[in-house]
Amino acid sequence: MTVAAVAAMAVGGGALLMTDNNASAAREPARRQWAAAAPMTINCPDVAVRLSQVPQQARPTVDNELAQLDTQVADAYGQLASAGGKADQKWVRTRVLDPLSSQRRLTLDRIAAEIDRVSNRPEQLESLASCTVKQDAVAPASASASAAAPDAAAANPPAPGASAPAGGSPAQTGPQRSDFVDIRKVRPNVATPRLQRNASRGTFQSRCGRNENKHFNPDNVIVAPGVSNGAHHMHDYVGNLETDAFATNDDLAAAGTTCTNGDRSTHYWPVLRLRNGKIEGDADLPGGGKDGNVGRILQPASAQLTFRGSPVSKVTAMPTFLRIITGDAKAFTNGTANANASWSCTGFENRQLKDKYPLCPRGSNVVRTFNFQSCWDGSNTDSANHRTHVAFAGPNGACPKGFRAIPQLVQRITYKIAPGSVFAVDSFPEQLHKPVTDHGDFINVMSSSLMRKAVGCINSGRRCG
C-alpha cells in the first residue's frame, strides 16, 4: 500500500502534485514524501500573545526579541520552501524545525533574562520554543467559486526577478481556490445590538484619503517599534505621514497628515495585491518579494474612517497615543481567538466573511471592514501584548467590568476588482495569505480639541466630520 500525502507546498508559483498511487512512493515506505497538493507552513507558539505581563522598562528589549522570533520563522519558512516539495520528514526536522527551535530557545532565554532584570522571571517560557509543520487543508470550493477563482497554480504566478528568502525559492504560497466563496451564496449574518435609552447615536468621520501618496512600509510601530521590516508584509497607511518603525510619539505629534481635519492619527492595514504575475516595485525588497508577497498592490477605491458610539451608553474620550490592533496577523497558526477579519462586497454587507475572500458580482466592490475594540481600561494607552488594555463590547453592547466605552473606530476599505481575479492580503510568510489573518492598526493622535468635538458629536447623536 502506498503512503498517503501528508502535507504540501506551493513553491515558486506553482503546485507540485504527487498522487497516492505513485509507484515510486510505494517503493520508499521509510521515506514519507511531503506532497504538494496543499501548502505546509511552520506553526510556532505566539510568544507575544502569551506575554501579557512585561514591565515597562523591559518592553523595548522584549519587543525587539519578539521581532527576532518572527524573522527566525520567516527564514525557516524560506528554507522549507527551498525544498521544492522534495523534503522528507527527516529533512524537515533536521534542516528546519530543530535549528529553528534552537534559535527560539536562545531568544526566549534573552527575553526571560531581560524581564528577570526588573521583575520576576517568567516561568516555562522555554516551553514555547518548539515548532511543528502545519498542513493547510484544501477544502473544495463551491461550484461558482471554482469557476471564478483559478486553481492554486494560477493563484501563485511566478514573480520574475523576485528574490528568494534564505535558502531558495520565493515562498509564494497561497491563496488556495478554497479561500474564495461567491458572496451570493452566503446567508445574511450580521446582527447589531438594540439601541438603549442612553445610547450614543452619533458618528464622527476623518477623511484621510486612499494612500494616494503611496505611503508603504513593512514596519509595525505598535508591535515591533524600532525594528525595520517588523511585519514581514507591506502596510498601507493613511493619516500620519511619518509613521514607520522608528516614529516616536513626539514624531507623530509633529508630523503632517493626509486627513482634512488635521487629525494626525495613523491608520494602517496590510496591502491587498492582485496575484496576476506582474512585478511590483517591492519585488526585491523585504516585506515584498523577499517575504513572499507578490503581485500588484491595489489602491483602495475608498477608505472610510468612522468613529461611532455605544448602543448602551455615552462614550468617553480616547487618550492621546492610544494604540489598538484588531484582528490577528497570525490567525492561521494561532487559531481564531483574536481574529477579527470581515470581508464582503458592496450591496451585500449584511453578509460578512471571516475566513474566506469574497467573489463579488460585476459592479460590486470588495470590502474589508475592521471594527475596532470599543472599550478601554481607563488608564493604559498600550499593553505588553497590545490587547489587554482594550476590549470588545459584549453582545448587548456593554463593556466588560472595569472598562469604559470609547468611540469605536471602523475602518472600511473598498477595492474595484474584476470578477474572477485572484487577490490576497500580504501576510507573514507562514500565514499563506489567508483571509482570516487580515488586521487593522490605529494610533490616536487627535488633538484634545478634535477628540472633544468627536465625542460631543457622537454623544449628541450628530453626524460630523
Side-chain angles (χ1 to χ4, degrees):
M1 180 178 293
T2 61
V3 180
V6 294
M9 204 183 320
V11 179
L16 306 175
L17 302 178
M18 182 177 72
T19 66
D20 290 345
N21 296 322
N22 190 303
S24 63
R27 290 192 294 269
E28 295 181 321
R31 184 173 184 243
R32 292 193 72 169
Q33 299 292 320
W34 297 87
M40 64 177 173
T41 188
I42 295 169
N43 185 10
C44 298
D46 191 342
V47 179
V49 172
R50 312 287 181 92
L51 280 176
S52 59
Q53 301 295 326
V54 178
Q56 189 67 45
Q57 307 96 302
R59 286 185 188 176
T61 299
V62 170
D63 283 341
N64 191 282
E65 295 293 354
L66 292 172
Q68 290 303 312
L69 291 174
D70 288 334
T71 297
Q72 291 160 9
V73 173
D75 290 345
Y77 187 72
Q79 177 76 349
L80 185 66
S82 72
K86 300 177 182 178
D88 58 25
Q89 284 183 319
K90 181 179 179 181
W91 188 96
V92 171
R93 186 182 70 253
T94 59
R95 298 289 296 275
V96 179
L97 295 180
D98 288 350
L100 175 60
S101 295
S102 296
Q103 288 180 320
R104 286 172 59 85
R105 193 168 290 107
L106 292 172
T107 304
L108 292 171
D109 284 345
R110 292 195 296 270
I111 290 174
E114 178 63 17
I115 295 174
D116 188 40
R117 187 178 60 82
V118 294
S119 183
N120 296 324
R121 188 181 182 92
E123 296 182 359
Q124 298 182 331
L125 202 58
E126 66 278 1
S127 67
L128 305 179
S130 296
C131 303
T132 59
V133 165
K134 175 185 175 73
Q135 181 183 358
D136 182 14
V138 179
S142 66
S144 57
S146 297
D151 59 20
N156 293 281
S163 297
S169 303
Q172 298 176 15
T173 314
Q176 297 291 312
R177 178 183 294 186
S178 57
D179 291 326
F180 293 83
V181 67
D182 188 334
I183 194 66
R184 295 168 294 188
K185 304 296 184 183
V186 179
R187 287 178 173 270
N189 56 11
V190 175
T192 56
R194 178 180 300 177
L195 295 178
Q196 299 186 18
R197 175 180 297 179
N198 200 37
S200 40
R201 303 166 186 259
T203 59
F204 181 86
Q205 276 197 345
S206 280
R207 295 178 176 85
C208 303
R210 302 176 293 123
N211 197 14
E212 291 91 342
N213 56 317
K214 299 190 183 302
H215 183 178
F216 302 116
N217 63 52
D219 301 343
N220 192 328
V221 68
I222 296 177
V223 175
V227 179
S228 181
N229 193 32
H232 295 271
H233 53 263
M234 204 62 65
H235 281 129
D236 247 327
Y237 290 85
V238 298
N240 199 288
L241 291 170
E242 295 298 323
T243 313
D244 62 16
F246 307 97
T248 65
N249 286 346
D250 288 344
D251 293 332
L252 296 176
T257 180
T258 65
C259 302
T260 58
N261 59 3
D263 181 3
R264 290 182 171 85
S265 298
T266 181
H267 301 260
Y268 57 104
W269 47 79
V271 299
L272 195 67
R273 295 184 194 251
L274 194 63
R275 302 298 290 258
N276 58 0
K278 297 293 180 66
I279 299 175
E280 187 55 272
D282 62 354
D284 293 314
L285 299 177
K290 284 192 173 182
D291 284 304
N293 295 301
V294 298
R296 180 166 66 86
I297 292 175
L298 295 169
Q299 184 179 47
S302 66
Q304 297 174 315
L305 309 172
T306 304
F307 295 87
R308 63 189 183 192
S310 163
V312 301
S313 70
K314 303 305 181 186
V315 298
T316 190
M318 292 179 176
T320 308
F321 305 124
L322 176 69
R323 286 153 161 77
I324 312 180
I325 58 175
T326 197
D328 185 358
K330 301 174 184 176
F332 178 57
T333 54
N334 281 350
T336 58
N338 291 314
N340 193 31
S342 291
W343 294 89
S344 191
C345 303
T346 54
F348 299 88
E349 289 179 70
N350 62 340
R351 313 172 192 200
Q352 294 291 325
L353 300 167
K354 301 300 184 183
D355 60 354
K356 302 288 183 185
Y357 292 118
L359 294 169
C360 303
R362 191 170 303 278
S364 174
N365 289 350
V366 171
V367 185
R368 302 163 74 182
T369 306
F370 303 113
N371 295 295
F372 279 67
Q373 297 89 317
S374 59
C375 304
W376 170 51
D377 69 5
S379 58
N380 297 295
T381 58
D382 200 1
S383 50
N385 61 5
H386 314 292
R387 295 186 184 278
T388 53
H389 64 297
V390 289
F392 289 100
N396 65 349
C399 286
K401 186 177 180 180
F403 287 78
R404 62 185 66 175
I406 55 174
Q408 182 183 30
L409 170 62
V410 180
Q411 296 172 341
R412 178 181 176 274
I413 307 107
T414 70
Y415 301 84
K416 293 182 179 179
I417 299 176
S421 299
V422 176
F423 58 90
V425 292
D426 269 19
S427 73
F428 286 96
E430 75 280 4
Q431 301 302 312
L432 307 184
H433 307 283
K434 293 295 182 182
V436 74
T437 66
D438 205 12
H439 56 282
D441 301 77
F442 166 69
I443 303 175
N444 173 44
V445 200
M446 283 190 188
S447 65
S448 297
S449 59
L450 187 61
M451 177 57 68
R452 283 195 300 271
K453 177 182 177 182
V455 169
C457 288
I458 293 168
N459 285 340
S460 63
R462 291 176 289 148
R463 296 177 181 270
C464 308

